[in-house]
Amino acid sequence: MEILLSLLKCDDAVGTPPMFTAEEIAAGVRRVREHAHIVADTAGGGLGLVLGPRPAGGIVGTLPPLYPEWLGGRTFCEAHGVRFPYVAGEMANGIATTRMVMAMAGAEMLGFFGAGGLGLPQIESAVRELVTELTGVSNWGVNLIHSPSEAELEYRVAKLLLHYGVPCISVSAFMELTPAVVLCSASGLRRDGEGRIVRRRRILAKISRPETAERFLSPAPQSLLRRLVELGELTAEEAELAARVPMAEDITVESDSGGHTDNRPLGSLLPRILLLRDELTRRFGYARKVRIGAAGGLGTPTGVAAAFALGADYVVTGSVNQVATEAGISEEAKAMLAEADIADVVMAPAADMFEMGIKLQVLRRGTMFAPRAGQLYEAYQVHASLEELPTALRTKLEREVLRAPIEEVWAATRQFWQQRDPAELARAEADPKHRMALVFRWYLGNSNRWAISGDSARRTDYQIWCGPAMGAFNRWTAGSFLAEPTNRSVVQIALNLLEGAAVVTRAHQLRTYGLPITASAFHFTPRRLA
């Protein structure tokens, strides 16, 4: 605001000479932090651009300075104590590392640790590190992912996050509300001195369907609140207050993205959720509107600018952060991602929801994971047990996919679940088809870990979560300073996307005034930003 006021007081200074050619205007578009005055060309009859202080006369219109931090909803930045309306999302299995979260917090943005897929000890270690390193800082968080096959682990993770006072929780992949997610939302609710309901922590809910969005835009179900009160997990007051506020006050609309996705186009999905938000705000009489963010497909400044133009309060990036220097994935996997184009992605069975037939989006180029995982799911659908597999099929799967005898894979699988959740083993002993699912999930689970560790012997089996945004990012950064892997910090990626989005937005504003805006004016070349 001080910057804006100082600019407004500079009317006595001299602005730039009027720019009338398309080339001059394209260069002027990039100077987004200055007043932009649209002026009439008295000689040629067209329109031109003057930057800086207000010129003497002939002004058709004036645009105030535009800053990247002003692109989204101001209430998002205020609520989360950040400067920029930008979030680095929670790429699972620790790909979104503690380093990434700390870097984002230091840059006055929001980042989430990717706890999905990790065991409780690994999550606790990461949370303790973040709590220690970010003492007194509130613009960071951890992911709570829906785990329908591991409900107990999901609940224990929720309890862990509450125990350590994690200030922000991003909940994802939920198809229905569970005790764990309701506990995170309701625990710590209270009224302040003026009677307003105050949350102890902030919840961002990632959704891709209106029916799921409605669950998080509504108050928590009474049945789950009563159950948590009976268990002593919530007080009666917390449950009563939870019935008056939405489950989450930030809803991230996830369009075509890497990992779990419904492949929805943002241009259709986001407006639908905005209307739903307004409808439910009226129905429940909320005191303040839920903030709506956008995720999926955001790998270029144009994509980010489009999300804000659609009405997003904030943006969330995912796939592109995997090539960041702080990302917890191997250099070999990052190199594969750097070669991707927008069509080099494919849907494949998801390890965590294998038996439900849920798919996720992964990198296709350079890996055979998707077709091999598809073979396993096809075998699971057709056959009732491992013993029922035809000899030829069993041999093919052992040789080409698992690369080990099924008995050996089961032994490793048994050891894993013995440590993580022994109940799964009991279920497998009673249900041969579930035992088969666990064996096949061994491949799906390890394929991502091979990509993270950089196991070159299993390179063709790498499961790398990836959406079209990665290909768009590669084409945008080609030949620029961000093409160099060592320059790709998560903060530089974020600042360049935001700066570029401001440039794209200014170009569009000037075009609506009738100025001759060429395609080059909408292109922002990445550069090192402070």
Side-chain angles (χ1 to χ4, degrees), residues 175 209 260-262 347-360 377 380-381 444:
M175 295 174 286
R209 300 183 182 188
H260 297 97
T261 181
D262 281 323
M347 299 301 292
D352 57 343
M353 301 182 187
F354 180 79
E355 290 160 278
M356 302 168 65
I358 302 297
K359 293 186 175 183
L360 39 65
Y377 186 68
Y380 172 78
Q381 283 185 302
L444 275 69

Side-chain angles (χ1 to χ4, degrees), residues 276-350:
L276 179 62
R277 184 271 311 273
D278 293 344
E279 174 191 331
L280 294 177
T281 298
R282 290 191 297 269
R283 181 193 304 176
F284 294 111
Y286 295 143
R288 53 184 178 267
K289 277 188 175 182
V290 174
R291 297 171 290 270
I292 304 296
L298 305 183
T300 64
T302 305
V304 172
F308 285 127
L310 283 168
D313 291 304
Y314 60 96
V315 293
V316 180
T317 55
S319 295
V320 299
N321 296 328
Q322 292 185 107
V323 297
T325 54
E326 301 91 346
I329 197 167
S330 67
E331 294 304 315
E332 191 170 24
K334 290 180 183 180
M336 293 168 67
L337 284 164
E339 294 296 321
D341 209 332
I342 61 170
D344 291 330
V345 292
V346 66
M347 299 301 292

Side-chain angles (χ1 to χ4, degrees), residues 163-182:
H163 172 73
Y164 282 98
V166 173
C168 202
I169 300 174
S170 177
V171 299
S172 60
F174 281 85
M175 295 174 286
E176 59 184 17
L177 300 183
T178 66
V181 73
V182 171

Side-chain angles (χ1 to χ4, degrees), residues 225-507:
L225 290 172
R226 282 195 300 269
R227 178 177 168 189
L228 289 167
V229 171
E230 291 168 358
L231 291 172
E233 300 285 13
L234 291 178
T235 66
E237 181 185 12
E238 288 170 334
E240 189 273 330
L241 294 177
R244 299 174 181 272
V245 294
M247 276 286 299
E249 292 197 3
D250 293 279
I251 301 292
T252 302
V253 177
E254 185 176 25
S255 60
D256 193 6
S257 66
H260 297 97
T261 181
D262 281 323
N263 307 107
R264 301 282 201 280
L266 188 65
S268 299
L269 184 59
L270 185 61
R272 173 71 177 88
I273 303 304
L274 287 169
L275 287 174
L276 179 62
R277 184 271 311 273
D278 293 344
E279 174 191 331
L280 294 177
T281 298
R282 290 191 297 269
R283 181 193 304 176
F284 294 111
Y286 295 143
R288 53 184 178 267
K289 277 188 175 182
V290 174
R291 297 171 290 270
I292 304 296
L298 305 183
T300 64
T302 305
V304 172
F308 285 127
L310 283 168
D313 291 304
Y314 60 96
V315 293
V316 180
T317 55
S319 295
V320 299
N321 296 328
Q322 292 185 107
V323 297
T325 54
E326 301 91 346
I329 197 167
S330 67
E331 294 304 315
E332 191 170 24
K334 290 180 183 180
M336 293 168 67
L337 284 164
E339 294 296 321
D341 209 332
I342 61 170
D344 291 330
V345 292
V346 66
M347 299 301 292
D352 57 343
M353 301 182 187
F354 180 79
E355 290 160 278
M356 302 168 65
I358 302 297
K359 293 186 175 183
L360 39 65
Q361 192 156 220
V362 299
L363 183 68
R364 175 178 59 83
R365 184 188 180 104
T367 171
M368 292 295 292
F369 167 75
R372 288 171 179 171
Q375 291 178 49
L376 293 176
Y377 186 68
E378 183 179 349
Y380 172 78
Q381 283 185 302
V382 174
H383 303 286
S385 67
L386 293 169
E387 291 72 24
E388 189 184 296
L389 294 175
T391 302
L393 176 59
R394 181 185 177 112
T395 301
K396 178 181 174 66
L397 294 179
E398 289 179 331
R399 183 180 65 247
E400 299 179 7
V401 182
L402 304 175
R403 294 203 211 172
I406 282 177
E407 291 79 10
E408 184 179 317
V409 173
W410 170 242
T413 301
R414 184 181 182 84
Q415 182 179 8
F416 172 83
W417 287 109
Q418 187 66 51
Q419 297 176 351
R420 180 148 170 157
D421 187 359
E424 286 293 317
L425 296 180
R427 182 182 167 195
E429 294 295 341
D431 182 358
K433 195 170 181 71
H434 183 61
R435 179 170 173 262
M436 176 168 58
L438 292 184
V439 167
F440 291 168
R441 285 171 59 187
W442 172 90
Y443 172 78
L444 275 69
N446 277 295
S447 57
N448 182 247
R449 295 183 181 93
W450 293 326
I452 289 172
S453 66
D455 186 345
S456 57
R458 302 303 298 249
R459 186 181 185 279
T460 58
D461 293 301
Y462 283 4
Q463 178 188 174
I464 305 174
W465 302 311
C466 182
M470 191 70 247
F473 176 86
N474 288 334
R475 302 287 78 74
W476 167 54
T477 59
S480 75
F481 111 101
L482 274 183
E484 176 58 45
T486 56
N487 293 332
R488 289 178 161 180
S489 72
V490 67
V491 171
Q492 281 299 319
I493 290 171
L495 291 177
N496 274 276
L497 285 172
L498 287 168
E499 183 76 15
V503 170
V504 171
T505 301
R506 176 50 55 94

Side-chain angles (χ1 to χ4, degrees), residues 16 19 26-36 51-52 503 506:
T16 65
M19 309 171 196
V29 164
R30 287 158 179 73
R31 295 167 61 174
V32 296
R33 291 169 175 79
E34 301 177 60
H35 280 87
L51 298 175
V503 170
R506 176 50 55 94

